[in-house]
Amino acid sequence: EVQLLESGGGLVQPGGSLRLSCAASGFTFSNYDMHWVRQAPGKGLKWVSTITGSGSFKYYADSVKGRFTVSRDNSETTVYLQMNSLTAEDTAVYYCAKDFGIMSHPFNFWGQGTLVTVSS
Amino acid sequence: SYELTQPPSVSVSPGQTASITCSGDKLGDKYPCWYQQKPGQSPVLVIYQHNKRPSGIPERFSGSNSGNTATLTISGTQAMDEADYYCHAWDSSTVVFGGGTKLTVL
């Protein structure tokens, strides 16, 4: 059974940093791209970042480029999102999601999400 | 940047057919997919590659695509289908979600 368990969310002051983790199990982790998606309160889904299975390629939304860094540890089957220079606009539930592994890259499993609140 | 456009809301009576559209330039070339999200829950993939259903998704969910518009169709809509629905596509190594459509079953 595929499981994705996010952690690391919480309350942080503007300008602060936070590192999210997503522990994965139930599949061959290194074979799949992993994604981060966020959802501000009452709003829609917004893609944040993608990292390929080997970790060789990383992609970011323009809104987080230069501030967020995605990484993964395939030996620990965990993907991370380091978030720096946080602003109130980064307040959201952050989900990690597993790639289906096919051309169109649908996300076939999602974690339960972790809430990040940026506020003074 | 690439954009996907969905109607904010759609209403349907129980047992009827609901259709939710998603529009984007050359969307048909991008193999869009659809997610269902119920309040307080994580999204669930319901349709991928235009019209394929993941294991466990009821047959009443189907997808189609024509040029610049993808459509999620729910036949015989049930009360449990009331949720937000999002379309999703890749464009130039970035992921784009539609703004979401709230499906109301009344």
Side-chain angles (χ1 to χ4, degrees):
Chain A
E1 177 191 7
V2 171
Q3 292 193 350
L4 300 172
L5 185 61
E6 299 99 335
S7 60
L11 176 64
V12 61
Q13 292 189 337
S17 298
L18 215 53
R19 189 177 84 153
L20 306 183
S21 301
C22 173
S25 61
F27 62 102
T28 305
F29 184 70
S30 60
N31 286 355
Y32 294 92
D33 299 353
M34 295 294 294
H35 312 275
W36 288 97
V37 177
R38 68 185 181 183
Q39 187 170 35
K43 302 297 185 181
L45 302 173
K46 297 291 185 184
W47 171 72
V48 173
S49 182
T50 291
I51 184 168
T52 55
S54 65
S56 297
F57 296 95
K58 305 172 184 182
Y59 307 97
Y60 300 94
D62 287 344
S63 58
V64 307
K65 204 172 293 183
R67 300 188 299 122
F68 289 13
T69 302
V70 64
S71 62
R72 64 191 295 161
D73 183 335
N74 285 346
S75 65
E76 296 291 330
T77 65
T78 300
V79 61
Y80 303 98
L81 187 68
Q82 176 66 44
M83 305 185 297
N84 299 331
S85 303
L86 288 163
T87 73
E89 287 66 44
D90 298 314
T91 293
V93 173
Y94 285 73
Y95 296 99
C96 72
K98 171 188 169 294
D99 196 279
F100 205 138
I102 58 177
M103 179 182 62
S104 55
H105 299 284
F107 303 168
N108 61 337
F109 287 98
W110 296 63
Q112 85 291 346
T114 186
L115 176 63
V116 172
T117 303
V118 184
S119 176
S120 55
Chain B
S1 61
Y2 193 77
E3 293 185 358
L4 294 175
T5 301
Q6 299 181 233
S9 62
V10 168
S11 297
V12 63
S13 299
Q16 299 303 302
T17 297
S19 295
I20 299 172
T21 58
C22 173
S23 299
D25 185 47
K26 299 179 181 177
L27 181 57
D29 297 339
K30 302 182 187 299
Y31 297 91
C33 58
W34 291 90
Y35 302 92
Q36 176 194 69
Q37 186 181 33
K38 297 181 179 179
Q41 298 184 18
S42 302
V44 173
L45 180 67
V46 294
I47 291 290
Y48 66 99
Q49 287 188 338
H50 300 302
N51 58 5
K52 296 182 180 179
R53 285 177 290 104
S55 173
I57 301 302
E59 290 184 5
R60 64 180 180 274
F61 288 86
S62 64
S64 63
N65 189 21
S66 176
N68 294 332
T69 301
T71 302
L72 173 68
T73 301
I74 309 172
S75 304
T77 307
Q78 301 182 9
M80 69 173 64
D81 300 329
E82 187 163 284
D84 293 326
Y85 290 86
Y86 296 90
C87 59
H88 156 207
W90 280 78
D91 179 75
S92 302
S93 299
T94 63
V95 177
V96 181
F97 287 96
T101 298
K102 181 177 181 58
L103 177 66
T104 301
V105 182
L106 41 68

